[in-house]
Amino acid sequence: MKVTDFGIYVHWPFCAARCPYCDFNAYADQSFDPTDWKRAFLLQLDHSAAETGGRKCRSVFFGGGTPSLMPPDLVGAVIERIDQHWQLATDAEITLEANPSSSDAAQFTGYRAGGVNRLSIGVQSLRNRDLAALGRLHTAEEARAAVVLASEIFPRVSLDLIYGRQNQSLEDWEAELREALQWGSDHLSLYQLTIEEGTAFGERLKSGRLDGLPDGDLAAEMQLKAIEICGDSGYHQYEISNYSRPGGESRHNLIYWRCHDYLGIGPGAHGRISVADRRAATETHLSPSQWLSRVMRTGSGESCRRWLSASEQAEEYLMMSLRLAEGVDLARYSGLNGQELCAERIAELERQGLLRRTADRLNATAGGSLVLNSVLSTLLH
């Protein structure tokens, strides 16, 4: 299938402090030289344009790390260079992730002036005790103030919340979510707290110092409660962890989940690009200093490029699209893979109430979305 949508992800690796649950490529370091980073991002964009220029860019996403530590003029320069090389679509979505601390919020007006039209705010919790446990540097009061300010400046605002936290009850989660919904943002990302190896929380769990985590049943109840409350408030669950009002879906993330093309710019960024009828998975150097040095010397921080086989593309498409409410386009899957999914396995998962099949699409049910890894394992293996 011809890949149509195209986006650009820009990774900013620096944070004021590293959260104990975070396993992203992020570093607690504010000693960066913004002039060097501006030059490096622009050099990388120039280099990438030689290969992918001429396509229309439909979305830009500044992620991290903490992109709200970026000087607004740096953000504006990156957006301007992207427009020069890829001609931003008239309705392009340009998102920047932000923390709700007062120092970050002070830059909101500058980001809007530079071209950002959607802010994704990492609220995470509206309980000060839980924010402290999560290692967040803002308070619930700062989060509320940041959302109000952002809503006055940006046409679109998204909120991130984490559930399944230590000693969190179902009633607490419901009350917190209902309060967040009152702010009227057009998009919510609701993530279950996951404990990853290599993080501070991972080490605490190993040593028995991370108590109060919910069991699987309670975590599932929290997700189902979120689906119910958001649905009653006019938000549809268009992806397992994401809810929006009609038209408020994250266009950039839909590029990922629909397996379209995107450039990955910055330390540790991944990409998927189509070149001459082949599709490549790209990676960049993880170390900020190594990425910066490499770009300054060669124009590119890419560390790895692997051409994906047709079966790999089909598997990736299945894994990503089954997360979406719109589900899997079975014709697209079979076109990539050269054969259809096993009808007997689909039928068995339907009997278990985990999948729903129509003539041309395959969707996970609410129950199936709770055990999606198991569903995928059955379909693929």
Side-chain angles (χ1 to χ4, degrees):
M1 176 177 176
K2 184 178 179 181
V3 175
T4 54
D5 280 350
F6 176 73
I8 297 176
Y9 173 76
V10 181
H11 188 78
W12 181 255
F14 303 115
C15 293
R18 187 172 175 83
C19 298
Y21 58 86
C22 177
D23 69 337
F24 297 150
N25 190 44
Y27 304 83
D29 183 359
Q30 297 191 66
S31 62
F32 54 84
D33 183 336
T35 302
D36 284 347
W37 282 88
K38 179 178 178 179
R39 182 183 171 208
F41 279 130
L42 299 184
L43 283 171
Q44 177 66 80
L45 290 168
D46 292 343
H47 186 278
S48 298
E51 186 172 48
T52 61
R55 301 191 63 176
K56 188 177 287 291
C57 182
R58 300 191 177 278
S59 72
V60 180
F61 195 103
F62 292 87
T66 306
S68 49
L69 292 176
M70 297 176 75
D73 71 298
L74 194 166
V75 173
V78 169
I79 294 170
E80 182 179 7
R81 188 62 59 89
I82 289 172
D83 191 32
Q84 289 173 5
H85 287 309
W86 292 277
Q87 189 183 6
L88 286 165
T90 54
D91 62 345
E93 175 189 272
I94 304 177
T95 303
L96 184 137
E97 291 182 333
N99 278 339
S101 67
S102 56
S103 60
D104 293 54
Q107 309 216 77
F108 286 1
T109 300
Y111 296 137
R112 183 70 187 104
V116 174
N117 56 25
R118 182 176 182 270
L119 204 71
S120 178
I121 304 179
V123 173
Q124 314 309 6
S125 172
L126 294 173
R127 305 291 180 262
N128 284 330
R129 180 195 64 185
D130 290 359
L131 287 170
L134 291 170
R136 306 296 291 175
L137 299 182
H138 66 272
T139 64
E141 292 71 26
E142 284 180 308
R144 295 182 180 99
V147 173
V148 171
L149 178 62
S151 299
E152 294 172 351
I153 296 172
F154 297 92
R156 299 176 60 200
V157 175
S158 175
L159 310 179
D160 286 6
L161 289 172
I162 294 175
Y163 67 91
R165 307 188 302 260
Q166 291 172 273
N167 304 306
Q168 184 185 32
S169 69
L170 182 62
E171 293 73 23
D172 288 341
W173 169 232
E174 180 176 352
E176 197 170 359
L177 181 54
R178 289 189 184 281
E179 180 181 351
L181 285 165
Q182 291 176 2
W183 293 338
S185 301
D186 70 352
H187 190 276
L188 292 172
S189 295
L190 309 178
Y191 300 112
Q192 182 182 343
L193 178 64
T194 54
I195 311 303
E196 305 287 355
E197 285 193 25
T199 64
F201 270 9
E203 294 305 311
R204 292 180 202 174
L205 185 65
K206 283 181 184 177
S207 60
R209 295 182 293 115
L210 196 67
D211 57 2
L213 293 174
D215 60 24
D217 289 341
L218 178 54
E221 284 186 68
M222 288 179 169
Q223 182 177 336
L224 293 173
K225 179 60 69 173
I227 296 171
E228 174 192 333
I229 294 173
C230 288
D232 290 344
S233 301
Y235 292 76
H236 72 113
Q237 184 193 26
Y238 72 98
E239 192 271 343
I240 285 180
S241 300
N242 288 272
Y243 304 75
S244 77
R245 295 186 185 278
E249 300 86 353
S250 169
R251 299 175 204 165
H252 187 85
N253 285 338
L254 282 171
I255 287 177
Y256 298 158
W257 295 319
R258 289 171 174 166
C259 289
H260 292 303
D261 275 9
Y262 58 96
L263 284 175
I265 305 294
H270 291 243
R272 294 289 186 276
I273 58 172
S274 298
V275 181
D277 296 324
R278 293 196 298 170
R279 194 158 198 249
T282 64
E283 299 177 20
T284 62
H285 292 286
L286 289 170
S287 162
S289 60
Q290 188 177 9
W291 181 86
L292 188 69
S293 174
R294 182 68 181 266
V295 174
M296 293 297 199
R297 285 187 291 107
T298 70
S300 175
E302 188 175 304
S303 61
C304 174
R305 173 173 296 198
R306 188 171 66 84
W307 298 101
L308 299 172
S309 67
S311 61
E312 287 175 318
Q313 292 182 58
E315 182 172 331
E316 186 171 89
Y317 171 64
L318 180 68
M319 293 172 65
M320 300 298 279
S321 61
L322 206 54
R323 297 180 61 88
L324 292 167
E326 68 188 31
V328 181
D329 180 335
L330 291 169
R332 181 179 177 189
Y333 175 85
S334 59
L336 287 168
N337 196 46
Q339 60 182 11
E340 297 180 352
L341 285 164
C342 177
E344 291 182 4
R345 294 180 184 178
I346 292 175
E348 177 57 30
L349 291 166
E350 283 187 290
R351 283 192 290 272
Q352 296 175 28
L354 302 178
L355 286 181
R356 180 175 58 257
R357 179 174 181 169
T358 58
D360 58 353
R361 302 199 78 86
L362 189 66
N363 304 82
T365 64
S369 69
L370 297 175
V371 291
L372 191 59
N373 287 341
S374 176
V375 170
L376 286 165
S377 179
T378 299
L379 288 173
L380 291 169
H381 306 297

